[in-house]
Structure formats: structure tokens, C-alpha cells
Amino acid sequence: KAGVTQTPRYLIKTRGQQVTLSCSPISGHRSVSWYQQTPGQGLQFLFEYFSETQRNKGNFPGRFSGRQFSNSRSEMNVSTLELGDSALYLCASSLRSPGSRENIQYFGAGTRLSVL
Amino acid sequence: KQEVTQIPAALSVPEGENLVLNCSFTDSAIYNLQWFRQDPGKGLTSLLLIQSSQREQTSGRLNASLDKSSGRSTLYIAASQPGDSATYLCAVSGGSYIPTFGRGTSLIVHP
């Protein structure tokens, strides 16, 4: 069974541009979560989608948005990029619904975004 | 607001040693706690998940314990190997269902 696939693996953008990252969950998984990882802040939760609906959102500005498609694939978009958006963006999928006590998350390898 | 602390931040040990990594959290109203490992530049791999009603979980050479009342979890690694070198993170999930991660313990096991 294929794991969580994130594309692209690396991205270089300049300030002010926008970027879209893609995540394909494990087959059968309906929950997808996004995280930002930086050396300064560690791993921070961005948002979670289940059955095409955003179920939870972290404390990030509105420039960060996402969506989930009917096949559970998810995209996240960052508009008006800032230098501080440089980070490893991780996607995780899980089989069970959000809030389940057995909600084991499976992570992709991440997209490394560099903003110049 | 939940805060998760991991001690030590970094650890370097010779092969064969038994290790204990610590994770503490401020809000004991959690649903579960999960331990992950992360290899450099890669995503996270789930190691063990402990539900709030459980006290410990074991997988191979790994054993994780949970003491909700004191807000602590430990990850015990038996007979460490160079392949165990990675960063270990713990994450707790509570009423908001949003997991809070610690900053991790960077482990190096040298031959």
C-alpha cells in the first residue's frame, strides 16, 4: 500500500508569490492534516480536513488555506509569501475520524519551501 | 493552552545502551499521546500511540508509558542501535483534537 505522497518535494519562491502544495493520503484514509515545521517554532498544526470539510484550524493567518477533494486528496495554498514562510510542510493522513482516540497519523516526506 | 516539553533536547550514547526519553505536558485532559521519530529532512514515523485510558504500549525494543495525573510520558529504548539515531517527538491530543508537539529529542547512537 502506498504511503502519503507530497508534491513537490522542494520549492523555491520569492516574496509576494503564492504556492500550492499537494498531498495524496493513504488509500482509504479520509482525514488529512497539514503541519508547518521550522527550527524556531517546531511542528505547528495548520488545519485538518475530513470528508472535504475543514474540521480544525491552527493559529495561522488567512494567507494559509486548504481544501480537500472527493478522493481525499488535499491541497494547501499560501498567498503573498513572506520570508518567514520558509519551512518544511508536512501532510498526515489517518483512517479514523478526527477526535478518535486511536487516530494514528501517517506522515508524508514533506515539501521543503524556501522563500527568497 | 497545552505545552509539551521534551527532555533532553539532545542525547549521544554508545551502541547498546538503554535509553529513556521524557515528555511532559501541562494539561492532563488528553485523549492520547503519540511518539514519533523523524529522520533528517523527512517526515514523521509513528512509533507508539497511548490512549488516555492506557498506561503503556510496547513495540519491539520500544516501550512508552503514560502518567496522565503527573503529565508525563517516557519512551524507553532498549539496547540502542546506530539505526535508532533520529529525532524523537511526542504529541498530545486533547479536547480540541489539535495535536501539540514537543520540540523533540535529537538522538545519536554511535558504534
Side-chain angles (χ1 to χ4, degrees):
Chain A
K1 195 182 238 186
V4 178
T5 304
Q6 291 189 245
T7 55
R9 289 295 313 279
Y10 303 92
L11 267 177
I12 300 176
K13 294 285 187 179
T14 56
R15 279 182 299 173
Q17 288 187 309
Q18 74 165 14
V19 66
T20 299
L21 312 181
S22 179
C23 172
S24 294
I26 293 172
S27 178
H29 286 195
R30 295 165 62 191
S31 178
V32 174
S33 299
W34 288 90
Y35 298 85
Q36 180 195 67
Q37 187 175 34
T38 60
Q41 298 297 321
L43 228 163
Q44 293 184 291
F45 173 82
L46 280 159
F47 28 66
E48 177 181 29
Y49 287 88
F50 181 79
S51 294
E52 303 179 65
T53 301
Q54 187 180 91
R55 298 291 290 260
N56 285 297
K57 189 177 190 304
N59 190 25
F60 278 82
R63 300 185 297 107
F64 292 81
S65 63
R67 60 178 175 170
Q68 186 180 34
F69 302 96
S70 58
N71 62 357
S72 295
R73 190 178 70 85
S74 177
E75 290 181 345
M76 68 163 281
N77 184 77
V78 187
S79 62
T80 319
L81 284 166
E82 301 177 359
L83 295 178
D85 297 333
S86 295
L88 178 66
Y89 289 87
L90 293 165
C91 164
S93 75
S94 63
L95 181 61
R96 295 182 179 271
S97 59
S100 167
R101 299 183 185 214
E102 298 180 357
N103 199 20
I104 296 176
Q105 294 196 312
Y106 299 86
F107 281 77
T111 295
R112 173 75 63 183
L113 172 64
S114 298
V115 182
L116 307 178
Chain B
K1 179 188 171 188
Q2 178 75 271
E3 292 183 5
V4 180
T5 304
Q6 291 189 246
I7 295 173
L11 191 58
S12 180
V13 300
E15 182 177 5
E17 277 205 5
N18 299 324
L19 310 171
V20 175
L21 307 183
N22 297 290
C23 172
S24 61
F25 46 94
T26 55
D27 186 351
S28 61
I30 67 170
Y31 284 137
N32 62 48
L33 182 147
Q34 197 163 355
W35 284 93
F36 297 87
R37 70 172 278 169
Q38 184 175 27
D39 294 283
K42 297 189 178 180
L44 280 64
T45 300
S46 177
L47 298 173
L48 291 165
L49 181 143
I50 310 176
Q51 297 181 44
S52 59
S53 59
Q54 298 174 322
R55 296 298 300 271
E56 66 178 337
Q57 283 284 349
T58 299
S59 176
R61 295 182 293 108
L62 305 179
N63 175 274
S65 66
L66 174 63
D67 184 343
K68 270 183 52 178
S69 60
S70 66
R72 293 181 182 178
S73 175
T74 60
L75 178 66
Y76 176 82
I77 303 175
S80 59
Q81 303 170 357
D84 294 330
S85 299
T87 296
Y88 290 81
L89 298 108
C90 71
V92 296
S93 295
S96 67
Y97 309 137
I98 296 175
T100 303
F101 284 80
R103 298 302 298 272
T105 293
S106 177
L107 172 65
I108 296 175
V109 181
H110 48 86

